[in-house]
Amino acid sequence: MAIEVGSKLTGKVTGITRFGAFVTLPEGETGLVHISEISDDYVRDVNDYLKVNDEVTVKVLSVSGDGKIALSIRQANESSSGRTHRGGSRGGQRQDRRQGFEQIMNRFLKDSEERLAQLRRSEAKRGGRGGRRG
């Protein structure tokens, strides 16, 4: 059975690099999961998400003429976690990203306000902004 674009397969992580992970598929073929296709979150280090010999479910993104296979863990998990990918329209994905951005901004603003309040309290203990002069 040939590896087809769009199919989901289970494979084993055989190598990790700074740009992704190599996964051996059931047919003995090896494909690459690029760092951007590991998680929906920002991945700074592949080792934080994957280890050698981990079993992972991947989606085949492409098979090039020279035999290179592009894989995605993120997209394989996306449709199984209840998210639906609408063909043609990406409005749903934009909405998900927008909500994620707003959550991040709200968290940032809350943290900033807490830090400012803490800074103001510590300044009050020291006698305010000007301090003692002369």
Side-chain angles (χ1 to χ4, degrees):
M1 180 175 113
I3 295 174
E4 296 180 14
V5 174
S7 62
K8 290 183 185 177
L9 305 166
T10 301
K12 185 178 272 192
V13 177
T14 56
I16 295 178
T17 65
R18 61 181 173 77
F19 56 85
F22 290 97
V23 176
T24 300
L25 302 171
E27 306 252 331
E29 299 275 346
T30 300
L32 173 69
V33 178
H34 189 265
I35 192 168
S36 64
E37 291 295 333
I38 291 175
S39 174
D40 285 330
D41 299 326
Y42 176 73
V43 178
R44 181 181 303 273
D45 185 6
V46 178
N47 291 297
D48 293 340
Y49 289 82
L50 298 171
K51 304 288 180 232
V52 174
N53 293 326
D54 280 354
E55 292 242 341
V56 291
T57 302
V58 294
K59 180 176 179 180
V60 179
L61 299 180
S62 67
V63 180
S64 67
D66 57 353
K68 293 181 180 177
I69 303 170
L71 305 170
S72 174
I73 295 171
R74 180 175 61 88
Q75 290 183 33
N77 293 334
E78 210 170 67
S79 56
S80 66
S81 67
R83 289 186 184 170
T84 56
H85 177 67
R86 296 182 186 115
S89 171
R90 293 184 165 257
Q93 287 181 339
R94 281 193 194 127
Q95 185 66 25
D96 288 345
R97 287 183 185 155
R98 182 74 181 164
Q99 288 175 350
F101 175 76
E102 288 176 359
Q103 289 174 343
I104 291 168
M105 282 302 294
N106 287 337
R107 211 174 311 131
F108 170 77
L109 289 172
K110 182 181 174 192
D111 289 345
S112 294
E113 289 170 1
E114 288 173 359
R115 288 179 183 169
L116 279 172
Q118 187 178 17
L119 182 62
R120 288 182 185 125
R121 283 192 300 269
S122 67
E123 284 179 352
K125 288 180 184 177
R126 292 187 306 185
R129 284 187 166 242
R132 294 185 184 164
R133 294 224 163 112

